[in-house]
Structure formats: structure tokens, C-alpha cells
Amino acid sequence: MPRYEYRCRSCGTTFELNRPMAESAAPAACPEGHDDTVKLLSTVAVGGSAAAPVPSGGGGGGGCCGGGCCG
């Protein structure tokens, strides 16, 4: 179930709720009991590293200096 982050406009508390996507825009009361809250735009952090795929068949492959157009 997705986790959404909200901020209370009354007290400034930031809190998270797990709720179905269909309820993501539904009002959410802060833990202090205030109803004036706003859903925050969250960013997703992706860890790890990625490498460009190596073409099969070996040798050169595209790009100016990798494809032999320099010279």
C-alpha cells in the first residue's frame, strides 16, 4: 500500500499515512487532530548503480569516436 506524506497547516506537523491510491486525495487529519492538511509531493529515491548495456557481437558501437567516424 502506498505511503503518502502530509503537512498540517495549523501546527506544521509533517506525517505519513499508508492508504490506497484511490484515497490519496481524501482529507487527512494530523496526529494533533487538525483537519487543515495538505498532501506533499514526494520524491522517490532509487539506490544502486546502472551501467549502459554492452551490445552483443563485440567491438565499437555508435558514437563519434566509438563508431569510427573520426579520423
Side-chain angles (χ1 to χ4, degrees), residues 1 6 43 54-55 68:
M1 189 172 311
Y6 298 85
T43 57
V54 177

Side-chain angles (χ1 to χ4, degrees), residues 30-62:
C30 88
E32 303 298 322
H34 305 117
D35 291 325
D36 188 14
T37 61
V38 62
K39 186 172 87 167
L40 302 177
L41 179 62
S42 300
T43 57
V44 177
V46 178
S49 62
V54 177
S56 61

Side-chain angles (χ1 to χ4, degrees), residues 6 17 19 23-29 35 37:
Y6 298 85
L17 291 177
R19 53 180 17 180
E23 296 177 17
S24 67
D35 291 325
T37 61

